[in-house]
Structure formats: structure tokens, C-alpha cells
Amino acid sequence: MSRKTLEIYSVELDGTKDTKQTDQEDDKKYNDLDLKKSHQKEELKRELDLDDHKLTSEELEQKYGTNIITGLSSARAAEHLARDGPNTLSPPKQTPEIIKFLKQMVGGFSILLWIGAVLCWIAYGIQYVNDKSASLDSVYLGVVLALVVILTGIFAYYQEAKSTNIMASFSKMIPQEALVIRDSEKKVIPAEQLVVGDIVEIKGGDQIPADIRLLSSQGCKVDNSSLTGESEPQPRSAEFTHENPLETKNIGFYSTTCLEGTATGVVINTGDRTVIGRIASLASGVGSEKTPIATEIEHFVHIVAGVAVSVGLLFFIIAVSLKYQVLDSIIFLIGIIVANVPEGLLATVTVTLSLTAKRMAKKNCLVKNLEAVETLGSTSIICSDKTGTLTQNRMAVAHLWFDNQIFMADTSENQLNQAFDQSSGTWASLSKIIALCNRAEFRPGQENIPIMKKVVVGDASETALLKFSEVILGDVMEIRKRNRKVAEIPFNSTNKFQLSIHETEDPEDKHFLVVMKGAPERILERCSTIMINGQEQPLGKSNATAFHTAYMELGGLGERVLGFCHLYLPEDEFPESYPFDVDAMNFPTSNLCFVGLLSMIDPPRSTVPDAVAKCRSAGIKVIMVTGDHPITAKAVAKSVGVISASSETVEDIARRCSIAVEQVNKRDARAAVVTGMELKDMAPEQLDEILANYSEIVFARTSPQQKLIIVEGCQRQDAVVAVTGDGVNDSPALKKADIGIAMGIAGSDAAKNAADMVLLDDNFASIVTGVEEGRLIFDNLKKTIAYTLTKNIAELCPFLIYIIVGLPLPIGTITLLFIDLGTDIIPSIALAYEKAESDIMNRKPRHKKKDRLVNHQLAIYSYLHIGLMQALGAFLVYFTVYAQQGFWPTSLINLRVRWEKDELNDVEDSYGQEWTRYQRKYLEWTGYTAFFVGIMVQQIADLIIRKTRRNSIFQQGLFRNKVIWVGIASQIIIALILSYGLGSVTALSFTMLRPQYWFVAIPHAILIWVYDEVRKLFIRRYPGSWWDKNMYY
Amino acid sequence: MVIQKEKKSCGQVVEEWKEFVWNPRTHQFMGRTGTSWAFILLFYLVFYGFLTAMFTLTMWVMLQTVSDHTPKYQDRLATPGLMIRPKTENLDVIVNISDTESWDQHVQKLNKFLEPYNNSIQAQKNDVCRPGRYYEQPDNGVLNYPKRACQFNRTQLGNCSGIGDLTYYGYSTGKPCVFIKMNRVINFYAGANQSMNVTCAGKRDEDAENLGHFVMFPANGNIDLMYFPYYGKKFHVNYTQPLVAVKFLNVTPNVEVNVECRINAANIATDDERDKFAGRVAFKLRINKT
């Protein structure tokens, strides 16, 4: 591997490691991996090599040929624009529509049907050469087959296009503008015309229009969460503060938002060369895996096509060796292929999937890729992002410490249930400080909005405190009005505290109140007393120890801790007219009275713990992957149950037993917290070991590349991996995952584009719904396929019998198509509405390679058991029709040749009567109709038995799924229309069947039902038995 | 990140198949142990035995609904079809006068076809019936009482009877006989109590010209009512189907002539669009002369 690659690899996005030191180590670690990877993938995974942040402004001017004051000249800018192209992300390469369409035309069974159609035309060609007046029947059949392929192809294409269009709306971005200095003038130009070297100005609220190196800034803060996952605003200034471009303060990244302040900077990268651009191309470069259901359907198509081709060829050979003409043999072959191919099935599957997709959309899971509907059901590992998915992506007060006690606050979405003890005098003081020492304010005009939903002007912590006190104390603005503020020192990073001085609300009391909050240790330094139970006490050693214990404990929970203190200024020293001066600090800022601690966290969503527990009981491993700090990550993991209460990490055990981490038996720990740093030094085998051995894993401080590595690691375990995420940094992993789930509200466009599914309510719990639906659809597809495959035998047998025994053809090829594409369609879709047989959320996810959609039990049971019964039943109807018209079953044997001879117009039946060709043909069509009705009647029984695979129909409820009955009705109505409505249309070869023939197959239909009930009974009675193994599909 | 090679080598595939066919470790043949195979075979023996029995039973029940002597439904046979003898490929009667073999097969067929019509056989087996009325034979309380048939003597076919005929039904002289017969339909009262006859004509005008003269036996192509109704082959054992012979006297040689014969009877429609043989028959006639 070249030296260059090493450097590229060495810069991690979290970047706390020094680049140069790790080069050599990385070399060894990645070397063997690199060899296995293609060069292209390598390119995509390259990380940042950027040194602009180290340069001075003069060097920058030189490098980019610009001037900080006057900007680029327009000519120069045009030149750069021509060289680098516009400042936009190039959209991922799309497969041309025509290719997509053609793919539908040749995918699945289409090839077989095309072969059938071509064979038809070849057959006609042969006939035509022999006899110019050959009938066009086979040409028509060929055309019908081709039409079937084209129509189902168009249908599938339309379905796919429809689901793609849902997402098109997401990717539309609002055109952006940028304020740029060119030719010494400030101009507003579209952001896509920005070029390298442009000087741009940004202000609070803007999206940063390109990667820029800041030259000057006034209190500029940016939200990098979409890039790095850090939920706190990051300050930005002109100083170079870190080797790593992602850590240094003087670079602003394309597509991140400037929250407050203003800044000026020089554009250093545009379009695809920006950091975001590279991650986006990383995402589009990651091949998305074939969905499990696509694999299953492919597997199923292979089985059916295999059966069709082998039976077809076998009987072609048999036919030829039985001295049939090659032409006839070809026609048999076509019949066999058409009988074997479930023409309507793939369309049915598509409809079924889209029905489920619609149902899921109602439950806030928007599915972009139809096949992903099932993927969620087979998911065995969920790699979830923390911020915004598991948590609420806001700060909230989690704990309070006063009176030497830790109290818990309600962190749920509405915070209404604040149950801690509020009677203490300390709380009264603390609450006053919280309310007063706070600069955040509600934006006016939101009187009717619930407190938690009100928009606040101020940073995340202050917002949390404001809302917290508003919930508990009531109108905070009113309290502040009553305690007029006379002076204020805002928070800054040197003081690490915030202070304000207020009049008290009692008009008689002329004291001033100093309130202060800040970093707990700094606050404690300034205090000499502490308030316990409303009484001021001197701050003794024991109190200090108690403080430290509490501080450590809250800090250990991954929470941000603030200390609060106050002081009533003596009235004599500070009279009402005292001129407070914040710069001169002419008031005491030490020897205050410590009141309490308060800790905040980005609280988990209240539905998440339950959802995680459900996932776990459904056998799904939930892994948390976050860019956040390990301690915070672990705390959140614990609170949502990703690490369950009883589980310990190696470190926990070490601490509990007071031994070194190395001495702990790794097998004792069920949970693990792995940081990006550790992950970086790991060989894939080690990662595999971690993924296999720990049931509860948290990955913290991870980079987008590492997310990808984790997903790949999971996939190596044969797991079906779901990844949730919202940031741009998640998009490669979303794409790589078997199913990527993006957040609809918080999610970035890049994430939504890379994902297969979008959670519209950002709620992890919706995933559980998705899993349930996905599992149900898998079960129901099994039923649909079993239902559809069954009649294949009943359709195939006529041709086989026809060839071997020489009966007049029991059912025509066109008639078969009326079953496959007519009567059977709605019933097979109806099975998609079937309710689950048992609690599907209490079983393990299916194994990708072992639990097939179509297993041999399903094929054998459908083909050789029910299918055969159906064939017999349909033959019964057929024989009945012939016998009652004069041809007894025995007389039919070997009748075929005479039967089909056009010039034979006096073929004798069993009674000595003579039949013309047309009379026979009409009888043959009646036979087709009879056979068709026979299959249809038994398919009703088949439909009913397929409602369940294990339970009795009576347990499942015969009438619970109303759609099944719609299906049955549709079957009967379509058959009635075909027979009585279109019975006179010759080309369709249906005739008006005598009413009683509709009932002939009913005994066989009942037999099917009874037989299947017996099968299910034995399966329930003797689980694990030979019967269960062979008969359960 | 380790890209697993999905493709297996050819040897591996063969090896896997070998193991599938016979796995020495688990003693599995085609994925099943001996016991498992035994179970499976036993199961299918019983299951298919049962299915066969079930099918046989339902078929037997169905056959109970079918009577021995009349079909349950005859709706398809409302109009009996017409057919010619000799029965030839594509219904063309081609006679090369000089080439004996071209018509010898027709003659053989006709000899065989007309054998049961020999007067001796007719006299021995069948009744002399009263012409001009149906020969009805009600059961009179005896179920399926065997039915008698009326005589149709070969001599009724006149010059086409082939008796003492040295011209082989006219085939050797280019004046062939073609026999028209009407399909048997049980309990069909053809003619609805009125006399009926067969007529022949060229299909188009030129055919009519080329066809020339012909004579019919019995005269006028009459079919007598006494040959109806037909009671079915089981009880109407010696039933003799009435025939009409057409002798074409001067067909234009070396031309294909389309001939159509139809029956004129009150209750037989001959204009069915779809069934070209309902009450009529069309055939091609060609006499090749050198």
C-alpha cells in the first residue's frame, strides 16, 4: 500500500488521535485488509487530508489567489467555476428508466414466458411451412404470453416508480444563496456559483454554503450534529486550535448551520470535494445489499423455474420417444411451462408488499424500497444512533441534588410528573436561582402551546432550565418581572459561571439577591456556606465530600452538572440605589451560599425502553452506535435498556471486584462499551468476536467509516442489519445496512436518501411496529406462495396425462392463464391481510440462510399433497362432463389422435353416437371450463386452509379476515362471468357449464380442508416429531 | 471487510453433491436416513393409496349417474353431422384412373364398409320394416329391452353396391361412387315425420360446371324414416345406418371440384356457421386422367 493511503486512513473524523503517530500502526493493521479491498472502495473510504486550517490568512490568499478584503474578481471566479464545476453535490448515479423497465421485462419468470411465446411462434412457423392454412391459435397464444410478460412488467415498474417518487420530494432542496465579496463588492449569489477562494459572510441562521476557513468571527456557533453527531453547538473562530480539521475551530463545513453570531471566511472546497460531499459519495459508492426478500423470491423463482424446465424437458423427451411429432412436443412444452409458471404471483407479491408499506406509512414508517418492508422483519441486529433516535435530542433536567440528597426529575416528553420533594426551603431557593439566573426566554405569542413545545430563544441548557422551572413554578417571565434584574454577567468560558443580581419580589424587602450558576467546582470555590433544609450552614468538610460524591455520581451518569448558589446582599452596604457595575465587579462574588446541583441530559424518548425490550424479546440485538462520549453513551444505553439493568461491562466487573480490567474473565460480562479508538486498533476478527460474544454493545466516539465497519462486521455474522440514523455521517452506514432507517424530522436529506425507510415521527418504537409488520408479511407471503403453487400441479397434470394417456386435452393454455391471472389474484392478495397466528414478536428473527420463504416442505406439501388432490378433483369434474355427454372415462384413453383430427366428423362415443369435429371441440371447451371450475372450487378450500400454517382454522377464526371472503367472492364471480358471460366467445374457449358441475369438486375441496386440519392437528400435538419436520412449512 | 468468496470451485460443488447423495457420517442418502426414507415411503404409500381410493369412490359415484343405454345429455348433438365414405385424408377423393394403387385403398375400405349391408346378413339379422314411418320400439315395462333394426340391403345402392361390379365402384373408370352417411344420434327422430333426402352440388358455380352429372341411390337420395330412432349400440346391436350413394358420371378431369352434400330434413339445420359438418359434408373430388 502506498504511503499516501496511510495518511488518508489515519485521520479519523473524531480525530482525537495525533495523525502522525498512528501512521505506522495503522499501516500494519489495515495492510492486510487493504489487500482484500478493491482500489475503488479504498478511494471512497479515504478520509480527510486538509491543511488549510493551519495556514495563515496570507498563505490562504496566496494559495487561492484571492484577497481577503476585495474578494475574487468576477473573471477569476468564472474561471474557477469553469474549472471546478458548480458548488453542488452531484446526485447519485441513477439507473436509466429504460434499463429499469427492461429489467422488469426479463426478471423473474419473464424469461420462461418469453421462451414460451417464442416457442409458440416457432410452432406456428413449422405449421405454416407444412400447411399454409395453419390455424393462428399458437400465434395468439404467443401474443397473449408476451402481453402477460409486458403487462406484469409494466405493473412492477409502475409500482417501483411509485415508491421511488415518494422519496423524490425529500431530495428537493431549497435553492440556497450566499453573501459573497467579489470585486470589492458584497453580492448575493446562488450558493452553487461559489468557487474556491471566494470570501463569504455568514450569520446566525444561515446554512454554511461550502467548506470555509474562517477569517474572523463574532460569537459564531455552528451545529455540526449532522456531520459529527455532537448535539451541542460548536463555537467557531479564526484560531487554529487542533491538528484535525474536524476538530479545529476555524473551519466551517458545508451544509452545517450557523446558529448564532457572524463570521467571514474563505471558501476552500466546493461541491463534491467538501467533507459532506465526500461522505455523500462514500454513501453512493457503498453497494446496497440485495434485500432478503429479493433473495428469497429469487430462490423461489429458481425452484419453480427448475421444476418447469425439468418437467418440460422430461416430457418433451417422453413425447418425442412416444413418436409424437416434434411440433406437438413443442406445444406440450409450452403448455407445461405455462402451467408451471405462476404468472400472477410476482405482481401479487408486489401488491402485497405495497399494501404493507401503506399500512406501515400509516404507522409513521415510510418505506422507500418496497422490498425493505420484509427486511425489517428478518432483522436480527439493529445498530441505532443515539441522538434523536433513542433520545429526544434536547437537554432536560434529569437530577437535582440539594439537602444532601439526589432527586430524580421527570425527563419524559411532557415532564408533567415531577415527583421529587418540593417542600424543603432549599428547593425554594434553588428554584428561584434556576428561574432568575437564566437568559433564555420564550418567544412571544405562544400562550396556547404546551410548555414543552414552546420555542425558546437561548441555548440548550438554558432552554432546559427555563422549561423545567416553567413547569414547576408556573409563569417564569412573571417571576422575573417581579424580581427585576439589575445586573448580569453572562456565561463565558473563562469564568465558567453566570451571575445576575435581582431585587426581591417582596416590596418591603430591600435586599438585593445575587444568583449564580456554573461549573460545580467553580461554584463551590466561591461558597462558604451551604443551605441544608432551608438553613444556611457553614460549608464543612463533610458537606464538601457529600458534594463531590454527588457530583461524581451525576457526572458518571453522563449528565452535564451545574452548581447553583446565591447571596442576599446586606441592605446597608448595597442600598436600593447602588450602582452595580459588572465590569468593575463592585459586589461580592465569593463567600456565597451553595444551594444545590442540577444535572441535565439528553433524555431518552419515553417509548424507547419499551421498544428496546420488545426488540430483545423478539430476538433482535440492539447495538448503540454514537459519536458521543462513552460515559454519556453508556448512561443512555442503560436508561433505555440497550444495556439492561442486570448486565455489566468488563469495566463494571473490575470496579465491583476492585481488580484490574485485564483480570476480569471476559465471558462474565454481557455488555461492552467500545470506543472508536479501540475499534480503530481492532482486526476484523476481534470485532467479530466482540459482536458474537456480547449481547449488549455500545459503540461510542465512532466515525462514519467505523459505522460502516461495524455494519459490515454484523453482516459477517450472517445477521440482517438495520441501521438507524439521522446525520449525514450516518448515510454510508444506512446505505450499507440491509435496511437503513432514517429519521423523518431530525434526519438530514442525505440520510433520508441513503435510507430504505423513513420514520416520520423519529420514534424508535415505530421500528418495532415495522418489525412486526415485516414478520407478518413474510409469513403471509409464504401462505400466498403456497396457495399459488398448489394449483400448478392441477394445471400441469392435464398436460402430462394428455401426453401419456392420450385423453382429449382437459384444460387449455389460455384457460390456465385465466386462473393464474384471473380467479387467483384477489384471493392471494387477501392472504396478506391475515392476522398473525401467534405472537410473532416472541420468536427469534428468521435465519437469513436457513429459514427460507419457500422451503422444500412448502413445495412438497403444495405440489404433492394438496396439488395432487386438486388435480384429482378437477379430473373428476372433467370425467363427469365427458361421461354425461356420452364419452365414458375408459373410452377417452388414447382418443386424442382421432379426437383432434379435423376431417374425422363421425367419431363414435360410448353409446354409438357420432360426433363432428366441432361438436367434439365444443365438448372439449366444456371440459376446459369444467376443469377450470374444478380447480377454482378447490382453490377456495386451498385459500381457507392457507389462512394458517399451524393453528386450526377455527382457532384463527374463519371470518376474522373479511378480505378472504372478498377473495372467494371474486373467484366465484369471475368464474361465473367467464362461463356464463363470455361462454359464447369462441377465442376464450369457455362454455356455459351446467350448474350442477360447479358442485362436483366439492367433496375433494372438503377433503383438502379436512386433510389440512389433520396435518395441523398432528403438528400441534407432536411438535418436533417426524410429522412436524416434514409437514410444517 | 473480508470479502468472502461466494463462488465455489467446481470440485467443491461435486464434493457437496457427493455428500448430498451419500453422507457417510450421518448415513444419509439424499439428505435422509434410512428410517426417514422408510417413513416417507410408507407415508406416501398410505397417502396415495387413500387418494386413489377416494378418487375411485367419487368416480364410481359419478358413474352411477350415467345410464347404460342413453347419455344423460345430448345437447351437443342436436344436429347430426354428415360424413362420406371412403374416409380419406382431408376428405379429398383423388382418383388417378391409370394408377390402380391410388384408388385401390378406397375400394378396400368400401368393401369392408359395405360388408354388413350384404343382403344375406341383413336378412338374417334385421327386420323388414314398413317404410315411411319411424320404427319405434318402446320398452313396454321391460327395462332396456333389446331393440331390433331395419334392413338396409346393399342392393338398394344400385350401381354403387359394388356387387358384380368390375369397375370397382366406378373408380377404375373415373366415375366414382361416394357414400354419404348421417351421424347416429340416440333417440333422434330425423325428418320430423316427413320424408327427407340428400342432395349434392358443386360449391361454387365453376364447381357445379365441373361436377357434371351424377346419380343417387336410393333414388333422389332418399333416407327412409324407418331407420330412426337409434337406440344406442348396446341395445340396438345390429343397427344398420342408412346410406346414400352418389355416382359422379362425368367429372371434368384434372380439376379439383368442391362438392357439398346436405340433408334436407325438417328438423336438421344445415346452416351452422361454426360446425361445417352439421347436416352437410363438403369434400374434394379430383379425377386425374392422362
Side-chain angles (χ1 to χ4, degrees), chain A residues 361-387:
Chain A
K362 266 190 208 149
K363 294 175 182 169
N364 289 320
C365 292
L366 188 66
V367 183
K368 273 173 67 184
N369 176 357
L370 273 191
E371 287 166 351
V373 168
E374 190 278 326
T375 315
L376 204 49
S378 46
T379 297
S380 49
I381 298 181
I382 299 177
C383 291
S384 177
D385 188 32
K386 178 182 77 77
T387 316

mmCIF file of all heavy atoms in Angstrom, chain A residues 361-387:
data_model
loop_
_atom_site.group_PDB
_atom_site.id
_atom_site.type_symbol
_atom_site.label_atom_id
_atom_site.label_comp_id
_atom_site.label_asym_id
_atom_site.label_seq_id
_atom_site.Cartn_x
_atom_site.Cartn_y
_atom_site.Cartn_z
ATOM 1 N N ALA A 361 -46.900 3.053 6.537
ATOM 2 C CA ALA A 361 -46.853 4.512 6.402
ATOM 3 C C ALA A 361 -47.859 5.158 7.355
ATOM 4 O O ALA A 361 -47.597 6.198 7.932
ATOM 5 C CB ALA A 361 -47.142 4.914 4.963
ATOM 6 N N LYS A 362 -48.985 4.473 7.535
ATOM 7 C CA LYS A 362 -49.979 4.977 8.474
ATOM 8 C C LYS A 362 -49.427 4.995 9.885
ATOM 9 O O LYS A 362 -49.818 5.796 10.723
ATOM 10 C CB LYS A 362 -51.218 4.093 8.444
ATOM 11 C CG LYS A 362 -52.274 4.619 7.496
ATOM 12 C CD LYS A 362 -53.575 3.857 7.685
ATOM 13 C CE LYS A 362 -54.360 3.865 6.391
ATOM 14 N NZ LYS A 362 -55.159 2.665 6.219
ATOM 15 N N LYS A 363 -48.532 4.045 10.157
ATOM 16 C CA LYS A 363 -47.919 3.987 11.486
ATOM 17 C C LYS A 363 -46.582 4.716 11.487
ATOM 18 O O LYS A 363 -45.687 4.380 12.249
ATOM 19 C CB LYS A 363 -47.742 2.531 11.897
ATOM 20 C CG LYS A 363 -49.074 1.841 12.088
ATOM 21 C CD LYS A 363 -48.890 0.376 12.385
ATOM 22 C CE LYS A 363 -50.262 -0.280 12.509
ATOM 23 N NZ LYS A 363 -50.141 -1.740 12.541
ATOM 24 N N ASN A 364 -46.430 5.646 10.566
ATOM 25 C CA ASN A 364 -45.265 6.528 10.531
ATOM 26 C C ASN A 364 -43.968 5.892 10.071
ATOM 27 O O ASN A 364 -42.899 6.415 10.331
ATOM 28 C CB ASN A 364 -45.042 7.203 11.889
ATOM 29 C CG ASN A 364 -46.100 8.226 12.161
ATOM 30 O OD1 ASN A 364 -46.503 8.952 11.260
ATOM 31 N ND2 ASN A 364 -46.575 8.272 13.376
ATOM 32 N N CYS A 365 -44.050 4.702 9.433
ATOM 33 C CA CYS A 365 -42.857 4.153 8.805
ATOM 34 C C CYS A 365 -43.046 4.304 7.308
ATOM 35 O O CYS A 365 -43.861 3.614 6.714
ATOM 36 C CB CYS A 365 -42.692 2.660 9.071
ATOM 37 S SG CYS A 365 -42.331 2.263 10.743
ATOM 38 N N LEU A 366 -42.298 5.212 6.713
ATOM 39 C CA LEU A 366 -42.420 5.397 5.275
ATOM 40 C C LEU A 366 -41.388 4.514 4.594
ATOM 41 O O LEU A 366 -40.194 4.651 4.843
ATOM 42 C CB LEU A 366 -42.179 6.861 4.939
ATOM 43 C CG LEU A 366 -42.467 7.234 3.496
ATOM 44 C CD1 LEU A 366 -43.950 7.081 3.218
ATOM 45 C CD2 LEU A 366 -42.030 8.642 3.229
ATOM 46 N N VAL A 367 -41.866 3.600 3.764
ATOM 47 C CA VAL A 367 -40.938 2.677 3.130
ATOM 48 C C VAL A 367 -40.624 3.154 1.722
ATOM 49 O O VAL A 367 -41.506 3.363 0.914
ATOM 50 C CB VAL A 367 -41.547 1.264 3.073
ATOM 51 C CG1 VAL A 367 -40.554 0.308 2.474
ATOM 52 C CG2 VAL A 367 -41.948 0.829 4.451
ATOM 53 N N LYS A 368 -39.331 3.364 1.477
ATOM 54 C CA LYS A 368 -38.918 3.841 0.157
ATOM 55 C C LYS A 368 -38.793 2.693 -0.807
ATOM 56 O O LYS A 368 -39.165 2.775 -1.951
ATOM 57 C CB LYS A 368 -37.534 4.483 0.271
ATOM 58 C CG LYS A 368 -37.561 5.922 0.640
ATOM 59 C CD LYS A 368 -36.140 6.392 0.890
ATOM 60 C CE LYS A 368 -35.306 6.387 -0.377
ATOM 61 N NZ LYS A 368 -33.912 6.756 -0.092
ATOM 62 N N ASN A 369 -38.196 1.628 -0.318
ATOM 63 C CA ASN A 369 -37.943 0.480 -1.160
ATOM 64 C C ASN A 369 -38.905 -0.616 -0.711
ATOM 65 O O ASN A 369 -38.831 -1.088 0.413
ATOM 66 C CB ASN A 369 -36.480 0.058 -0.957
ATOM 67 C CG ASN A 369 -36.150 -1.179 -1.726
ATOM 68 O OD1 ASN A 369 -37.015 -1.774 -2.373
ATOM 69 N ND2 ASN A 369 -34.910 -1.584 -1.665
ATOM 70 N N LEU A 370 -39.807 -0.984 -1.599
ATOM 71 C CA LEU A 370 -40.869 -1.922 -1.221
ATOM 72 C C LEU A 370 -40.342 -3.179 -0.542
ATOM 73 O O LEU A 370 -40.907 -3.651 0.435
ATOM 74 C CB LEU A 370 -41.639 -2.344 -2.462
ATOM 75 C CG LEU A 370 -42.795 -1.453 -2.868
ATOM 76 C CD1 LEU A 370 -43.613 -2.147 -3.931
ATOM 77 C CD2 LEU A 370 -43.667 -1.132 -1.670
ATOM 78 N N GLU A 371 -39.261 -3.692 -1.087
ATOM 79 C CA GLU A 371 -38.769 -4.956 -0.548
ATOM 80 C C GLU A 371 -38.264 -4.803 0.882
ATOM 81 O O GLU A 371 -38.169 -5.776 1.616
ATOM 82 C CB GLU A 371 -37.653 -5.504 -1.431
ATOM 83 C CG GLU A 371 -38.203 -6.037 -2.741
ATOM 84 C CD GLU A 371 -37.116 -6.274 -3.757
ATOM 85 O OE1 GLU A 371 -35.975 -5.861 -3.502
ATOM 86 O OE2 GLU A 371 -37.419 -6.864 -4.796
ATOM 87 N N ALA A 372 -37.969 -3.567 1.260
ATOM 88 C CA ALA A 372 -37.468 -3.334 2.609
ATOM 89 C C ALA A 372 -38.544 -3.613 3.650
ATOM 90 O O ALA A 372 -38.242 -3.768 4.827
ATOM 91 C CB ALA A 372 -36.973 -1.904 2.742
ATOM 92 N N VAL A 373 -39.792 -3.693 3.215
ATOM 93 C CA VAL A 373 -40.883 -3.959 4.145
ATOM 94 C C VAL A 373 -40.600 -5.234 4.921
ATOM 95 O O VAL A 373 -40.742 -5.296 6.135
ATOM 96 C CB VAL A 373 -42.205 -4.111 3.374
ATOM 97 C CG1 VAL A 373 -43.279 -4.669 4.263
ATOM 98 C CG2 VAL A 373 -42.623 -2.785 2.812
ATOM 99 N N GLU A 374 -40.148 -6.243 4.186
ATOM 100 C CA GLU A 374 -39.919 -7.520 4.851
ATOM 101 C C GLU A 374 -38.597 -7.515 5.576
ATOM 102 O O GLU A 374 -38.453 -8.159 6.603
ATOM 103 C CB GLU A 374 -39.977 -8.649 3.828
ATOM 104 C CG GLU A 374 -39.994 -10.030 4.443
ATOM 105 C CD GLU A 374 -38.619 -10.510 4.821
ATOM 106 O OE1 GLU A 374 -37.632 -10.182 4.137
ATOM 107 O OE2 GLU A 374 -38.510 -11.221 5.838
ATOM 108 N N THR A 375 -37.617 -6.783 5.055
ATOM 109 C CA THR A 375 -36.281 -6.812 5.630
ATOM 110 C C THR A 375 -36.312 -6.522 7.129
ATOM 111 O O THR A 375 -35.626 -7.163 7.911
ATOM 112 C CB THR A 375 -35.379 -5.779 4.943
ATOM 113 O OG1 THR A 375 -35.584 -5.868 3.547
ATOM 114 C CG2 THR A 375 -33.941 -6.030 5.266
ATOM 115 N N LEU A 376 -37.140 -5.563 7.498
ATOM 116 C CA LEU A 376 -37.215 -5.194 8.899
ATOM 117 C C LEU A 376 -37.661 -6.394 9.731
ATOM 118 O O LEU A 376 -37.223 -6.577 10.855
ATOM 119 C CB LEU A 376 -38.198 -4.029 9.049
ATOM 120 C CG LEU A 376 -38.039 -3.131 10.261
ATOM 121 C CD1 LEU A 376 -36.608 -2.696 10.409
ATOM 122 C CD2 LEU A 376 -38.932 -1.933 10.132
ATOM 123 N N GLY A 377 -38.516 -7.213 9.158
ATOM 124 C CA GLY A 377 -38.989 -8.396 9.867
ATOM 125 C C GLY A 377 -37.909 -9.427 10.102
ATOM 126 O O GLY A 377 -37.928 -10.132 11.100
ATOM 127 N N SER A 378 -36.949 -9.520 9.188
ATOM 128 C CA SER A 378 -35.909 -10.527 9.383
ATOM 129 C C SER A 378 -34.686 -9.940 10.061
ATOM 130 O O SER A 378 -33.689 -10.614 10.254
ATOM 131 C CB SER A 378 -35.542 -11.158 8.047
ATOM 132 O OG SER A 378 -35.380 -10.177 7.069
ATOM 133 N N THR A 379 -34.779 -8.676 10.421
ATOM 134 C CA THR A 379 -33.658 -8.021 11.083
ATOM 135 C C THR A 379 -33.260 -8.742 12.360
ATOM 136 O O THR A 379 -34.109 -9.096 13.167
ATOM 137 C CB THR A 379 -34.054 -6.574 11.447
ATOM 138 O OG1 THR A 379 -34.312 -5.878 10.250
ATOM 139 C CG2 THR A 379 -32.975 -5.880 12.224
ATOM 140 N N SER A 380 -31.955 -8.992 12.506
ATOM 141 C CA SER A 380 -31.515 -9.613 13.753
ATOM 142 C C SER A 380 -30.641 -8.664 14.569
ATOM 143 O O SER A 380 -30.432 -8.881 15.749
ATOM 144 C CB SER A 380 -30.785 -10.918 13.462
ATOM 145 O OG SER A 380 -29.826 -10.720 12.469
ATOM 146 N N ILE A 381 -30.123 -7.628 13.934
ATOM 147 C CA ILE A 381 -29.354 -6.637 14.695
ATOM 148 C C ILE A 381 -29.818 -5.240 14.278
ATOM 149 O O ILE A 381 -29.942 -4.958 13.092
ATOM 150 C CB ILE A 381 -27.831 -6.769 14.443
ATOM 151 C CG1 ILE A 381 -27.320 -8.133 14.909
ATOM 152 C CG2 ILE A 381 -27.077 -5.652 15.152
ATOM 153 C CD1 ILE A 381 -25.840 -8.323 14.721
ATOM 154 N N ILE A 382 -30.086 -4.423 15.251
ATOM 155 C CA ILE A 382 -30.358 -3.017 14.949
ATOM 156 C C ILE A 382 -29.199 -2.192 15.471
ATOM 157 O O ILE A 382 -28.879 -2.262 16.657
ATOM 158 C CB ILE A 382 -31.673 -2.530 15.607
ATOM 159 C CG1 ILE A 382 -32.863 -3.323 15.091
ATOM 160 C CG2 ILE A 382 -31.886 -1.042 15.366
ATOM 161 C CD1 ILE A 382 -34.174 -2.956 15.753
ATOM 162 N N CYS A 383 -28.536 -1.483 14.599
ATOM 163 C CA CYS A 383 -27.494 -0.564 15.037
ATOM 164 C C CYS A 383 -28.158 0.805 15.103
ATOM 165 O O CYS A 383 -28.451 1.410 14.068
ATOM 166 C CB CYS A 383 -26.352 -0.502 14.044
ATOM 167 S SG CYS A 383 -25.400 -2.003 13.980
ATOM 168 N N SER A 384 -28.381 1.273 16.298
ATOM 169 C CA SER A 384 -29.123 2.512 16.412
ATOM 170 C C SER A 384 -28.209 3.658 16.791
ATOM 171 O O SER A 384 -27.292 3.519 17.591
ATOM 172 C CB SER A 384 -30.209 2.361 17.470
ATOM 173 O OG SER A 384 -30.873 3.584 17.604
ATOM 174 N N ASP A 385 -28.495 4.767 16.187
ATOM 175 C CA ASP A 385 -27.838 6.001 16.541
ATOM 176 C C ASP A 385 -28.415 6.437 17.888
ATOM 177 O O ASP A 385 -29.518 6.030 18.246
ATOM 178 C CB ASP A 385 -28.198 7.015 15.453
ATOM 179 C CG ASP A 385 -27.417 8.283 15.591
ATOM 180 O OD1 ASP A 385 -26.269 8.191 16.042
ATOM 181 O OD2 ASP A 385 -27.960 9.345 15.247
ATOM 182 N N LYS A 386 -27.685 7.236 18.628
ATOM 183 C CA LYS A 386 -28.229 7.651 19.917
ATOM 184 C C LYS A 386 -29.084 8.913 19.792
ATOM 185 O O LYS A 386 -30.291 8.881 20.016
ATOM 186 C CB LYS A 386 -27.111 7.904 20.919
ATOM 187 C CG LYS A 386 -27.606 8.399 22.273
ATOM 188 C CD LYS A 386 -26.484 8.680 23.229
ATOM 189 C CE LYS A 386 -25.771 9.979 22.943
ATOM 190 N NZ LYS A 386 -26.502 11.177 23.375
ATOM 191 N N THR A 387 -28.385 9.979 19.383
ATOM 192 C CA THR A 387 -29.035 11.276 19.437
ATOM 193 C C THR A 387 -30.237 11.341 18.503
ATOM 194 O O THR A 387 -30.118 11.055 17.321
ATOM 195 C CB THR A 387 -28.038 12.369 19.036
ATOM 196 O OG1 THR A 387 -26.817 12.085 19.691
ATOM 197 C CG2 THR A 387 -28.532 13.735 19.428
#
